[in-house]
């Protein structure tokens, strides 16, 4: 029992120490469908949370989770929503948490489509592996970024503006 308690205490201390060096951000998302998929859904809106912690002076790791819902297009009755859950890295061109950066994330996106046909609603959901290369800029407590979300046949350009909580 003592070994279990010691292990839990050690993991807790390491976790708190690693989180103390990082920071969270909460942001709004705008999603612009691309390719053939843009023929079926309209613009998307949502939000996301991100945790980021430095690896060295220019490189950070991050974890992001969000929700994006896409508008119905041309009264088609089709609505679409996504929950992307990703992990990845950011490379800052000057120093961690400051200035321009480029990054990439990989993870899973849970997608749900709902079609309303003559008053009857039919939905289906699926999970897909997704990838998102991005560029952005940190300016104080604001993080601005753009990414290309690649999800099989449902790709989109995502724009995020976030408020950053925490310091370096």
């Amino acid at each position: 029992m003592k070994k279990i308690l010691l292990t839990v205490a050690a993991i807790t201390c390491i976790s708190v120490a690693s989180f103390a060096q990082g920071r969270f951000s909460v942001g709004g998302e705008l999603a612009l469908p691309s390719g053939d998929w843009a023929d079926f859904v309209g613009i998307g809106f949502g939000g996301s949370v991100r945790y980021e912690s430095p690896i060295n002076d220019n490189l950070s790791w991050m974890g992001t989770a969000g929700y994006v819902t896409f508008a119905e297009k041309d009264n088609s009755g089709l609505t679409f929503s996504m929950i992307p859950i990703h992990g990845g890295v950011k490379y800052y061109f000057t120093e961690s948490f400051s200035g321009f950066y480029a990054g990439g994330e990989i993870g899973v996106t849970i997608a749900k489509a709902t079609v309303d046909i003559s008053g009857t609603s039919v939905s289906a959901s699926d999970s897909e592996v997704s990838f998102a290369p991005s560029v952005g800029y940190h300016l104080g407590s604001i993080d601005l970024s753009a990414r290309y979300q690649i999800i099989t046949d449902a790709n989109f350009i995502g724009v995020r503006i976030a408020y950053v909580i925490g310091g370096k």
Side-chain angles (χ1 to χ4, degrees):
M1 185 66 154
K2 286 182 183 179
K3 287 182 182 180
I4 293 172
L5 288 175
L6 223 67
T7 303
V8 169
I11 290 170
T12 302
C13 288
I14 291 169
S15 297
V16 168
S18 69
F19 279 105
Q21 295 178 9
R23 62 190 193 171
F24 284 93
S25 63
V26 178
E29 301 264 350
L30 175 68
L32 306 168
S34 65
D36 292 337
W37 196 52
D39 295 337
F40 299 103
V41 296
I43 194 168
F45 299 95
S48 61
V49 294
R50 175 175 290 154
Y51 177 76
E52 181 179 348
S53 184
I55 296 171
N56 63 32
D57 288 343
N58 296 89
L59 193 64
S60 294
W61 66 269
M62 63 183 159
T64 308
Y67 178 81
V68 178
T69 185
F70 292 87
E72 178 182 3
K73 189 166 191 173
D74 301 327
N75 296 318
S76 65
L78 174 66
T79 56
F80 204 85
S81 60
M82 294 181 176
I83 300 173
I85 303 166
H86 289 149
V89 295
K90 282 185 181 179
Y91 178 80
Y92 289 89
F93 296 104
T94 53
E95 62 178 291
S96 259
F97 299 144
S98 180
F100 286 102
Y101 64 84
E105 294 182 275
I106 191 165
V108 64
T109 296
I110 303 163
K112 180 179 180 182
T114 304
V115 179
D116 194 12
I117 304 170
S118 302
T120 303
S121 184
V122 178
S123 13
S125 60
D126 196 12
S127 299
E128 297 280 338
V129 172
S130 54
F131 175 71
S134 63
V135 294
Y137 188 80
H138 271 285
L139 179 62
S141 60
I142 301 296
D143 181 13
L144 302 167
S145 64
R147 71 182 183 282
Y148 189 67
Q149 188 82 39
I150 302 167
I151 313 164
T152 312
D153 295 328
N155 303 330
F156 64 88
I157 297 167
V159 178
R160 179 177 192 258
I161 183 167
Y163 179 72
V164 180
I165 304 161
K168 287 187 178 182

